[in-house]
Amino acid sequence: DGGITQSPKYLFRKEGQNVTLSCEQNLNHDAMYWYRQDPGQGLRLIYYSQIVNDFQKGDIAEGYSVSREKKESFPLTVTSAQKNPTAFYLCASSIGGTTNEKLFFGSGTQLSVL
Amino acid sequence: DQQVKQNSPSLSVQEGRISILNCDYTNSMFDYFLWYKKYPAEGPTFLISISSIKDKNEDGRFTVFLNKSAKHLSLHIVPSQPGDSAVYFCAAWGHGNQFYFGTGTSLTVIP
């Protein structure tokens, strides 16, 4: 059954700590994305990757880092530089390179600060 | 600057009636528009889409209308059902190979 798996579902971060959110897809998609959702707000793009070993900053990349060493995996690290990390984080993927792209989302990770 | 806007944060509709969710955009270069449905603490799921070369796309109870001259699209749900209660996001694709999302409209269908 193809899809996107995010883990963990819930994550708590202590002040000054880096935490990593996992995202794996078995859809054979080239493009992967990380979004952040805050209450009452839309989805804001953190980072995206259109191909392995390449990624670009989105609108709110400060305090975050990513890697794309494998096509299936796009982990997001929330660093201690991110001063307001509490949010719902969504990973998504799309085929890539088409004119009518469609995003497929994981089930999300809720990150909270202790 | 928000390129895709959903100006109604919430909407309540009686079961069986029509729900109309609206979305406006500013960039005429967008190629493709999508609607997503989202339940709390879950990822959004794709609902329906429309290419910029069309003005209507229908899928069962869901119809999306695109008015390019007004840079406006709308999602019609007929008849509305209680299970349709969720947050609906409008999104646009293009302009640098990115998706641009609106802030969402929370739909409540009253039984």
Side-chain angles (χ1 to χ4, degrees), chain A residues 7-8 11 18-23 34 65 74-79 109:
Chain A
S7 62
L11 186 59
N18 292 355
V19 292
T20 298
L21 285 62
S22 170
C23 178
W34 274 105
S65 66
F74 192 40
L76 173 74
T77 296
V78 184
T79 74
T109 293

Side-chain angles (χ1 to χ4, degrees), chain A residues 5-8 11 13 18-24 32-37 44-48 55-58 60-68 73-79 82 85 87-92 108-109 111:
Chain A
T5 302
Q6 287 187 242
S7 62
L11 186 59
R13 192 192 90 166
N18 292 355
V19 292
T20 298
L21 285 62
S22 170
C23 178
E24 303 278 332
M32 297 188 74
Y33 308 78
W34 274 105
Y35 289 90
R36 168 179 171 147
Q37 185 189 15
R44 294 187 290 168
L45 182 64
I46 304 172
Y47 268 98
Y48 65 104
F55 49 82
Q56 287 81 39
K57 293 181 179 180
I60 55 166
E62 186 175 349
Y64 300 96
S65 66
V66 293
S67 63
R68 186 83 189 279
S73 179
F74 192 40
L76 173 74
T77 296
V78 184
T79 74
Q82 172 49 245
F88 190 60
Y89 290 85
L90 286 160
C91 179
T109 293
L111 175 62

Side-chain angles (χ1 to χ4, degrees), chain B residues 16-88:
Chain B
R17 305 295 291 269
I18 185 171
S19 295
I20 300 177
L21 294 89
N22 293 302
C23 179
D24 297 296
Y25 61 96
T26 57
N27 192 331
S28 58
M29 300 301 290
F30 285 138
D31 296 317
Y32 191 61
F33 301 90
L34 310 93
W35 284 95
Y36 282 84
K37 177 180 179 179
K38 185 183 182 300
Y39 294 115
E42 294 184 11
T45 54
F46 171 76
L47 199 55
I48 193 169
S49 62
I50 188 167
S51 166
S52 60
I53 63 173
K54 296 188 175 182
D55 55 19
K56 177 182 175 181
N57 187 26
E58 191 172 352
D59 184 3
R61 296 186 297 114
F62 303 92
T63 304
V64 56
F65 295 93
L66 176 62
N67 182 335
K68 286 181 63 179
S69 61
K71 296 191 180 70
H72 177 84
L73 66 156
S74 60
L75 174 68
H76 293 209
I77 306 173
V78 182
S80 300
Q81 299 173 354
D84 295 330
S85 297
V87 176
Y88 290 79

Side-chain angles (χ1 to χ4, degrees), chain A residues 9 33 35 37 41-43 45 48 50 88 90 98-103 105-107, chain B residues 31-32 34 36 38 41-46 89 93 96-99 101-104:
Chain A
K9 182 71 174 174
Y33 308 78
Y35 289 90
Q37 185 189 15
Q41 296 195 31
L43 305 179
L45 182 64
Y48 65 104
Q50 294 182 327
F88 190 60
L90 286 160
T98 67
T99 57
N100 54 349
E101 290 285 282
K102 186 166 70 178
L103 277 174
F105 285 89
S107 57
Chain B
D31 296 317
Y32 191 61
L34 310 93
Y36 282 84
K38 185 183 182 300
E42 294 184 11
T45 54
F46 171 76
F89 288 98
W93 161 257
N97 292 331
Q98 288 190 38
F99 290 88
F101 283 85
T103 51

